[in-house]
Amino acid sequence: MAHSSSATKRFLLLTGGWVALVLGVAGIFLPLLPTTPFILLASWCFARSSERFHHWLSQHRIFGPIITRWEAGLGITATVRNRAIFFLWLTLGLSMWLVGSVWAIVMLTSIGTATTIYLCRLTQTPSPEI
């Protein structure tokens, strides 16, 4: 019975990791879908289900630095934070303009404010030299 539960848990974590990774990649191209939280979620799922996939994702040339910085407790860079806040409010503003109803504007403003506060409270480190 314990083996079945363990196999089910591993399957669910692997599935969740791949879904999060696909959503993270889609977030690169879709402005309302965030990339970093999904990549970090995929890493967390893989770390608990597949050492091979976690290592692969951690060593990935695009996503690896996000994961290694986060796992080392370095948080996000100020550049990433500022870019995220800019695109957050750009897309929220566009959504508010398109929808135009008061309840949607209040809801989106609340979500945007909470997200901005969260992003500003994250650990921030200087951007690495290029």
Side-chain angles (χ1 to χ4, degrees):
M1 182 76 157
H3 174 69
S4 175
S5 173
S6 175
T8 302
K9 180 180 176 183
R10 182 173 188 270
F11 173 78
L12 291 173
L13 286 168
L14 277 171
T15 302
W18 283 109
V19 168
L21 182 60
V22 166
L23 290 172
V25 170
I28 295 171
F29 306 102
L30 301 173
L32 289 175
L33 198 60
T35 297
T36 302
F38 285 118
I39 298 303
L40 294 175
L41 177 61
S43 175
W44 183 86
C45 289
F46 290 155
R48 285 150 184 76
S49 61
S50 171
E51 185 177 324
R52 184 179 101 204
F53 290 140
H54 182 259
H55 177 75
W56 169 78
L57 191 57
S58 297
Q59 300 305 310
H60 192 274
R61 72 176 180 86
I62 295 172
F63 303 125
I66 296 169
I67 295 165
T68 54
R69 291 179 63 77
W70 186 264
E71 288 178 347
L74 298 175
I76 61 173
T77 64
T79 303
V80 168
R81 182 211 53 213
N82 294 340
R83 189 176 299 142
I85 290 171
F86 172 77
F87 283 109
L88 169 73
W89 284 104
L90 179 70
T91 55
L92 287 176
L94 179 63
S95 298
M96 289 179 215
W97 180 71
L98 289 173
V99 173
S101 70
V102 174
W103 70 267
I105 292 171
V106 169
M107 182 184 70
L108 292 172
T109 300
S110 299
I111 291 169
T113 301
T115 304
T116 300
I117 291 168
Y118 174 76
L119 288 170
C120 288
R121 293 185 60 159
L122 284 175
T123 300
Q124 299 162 30
T125 55
S127 297
E129 297 293 324
I130 297 178

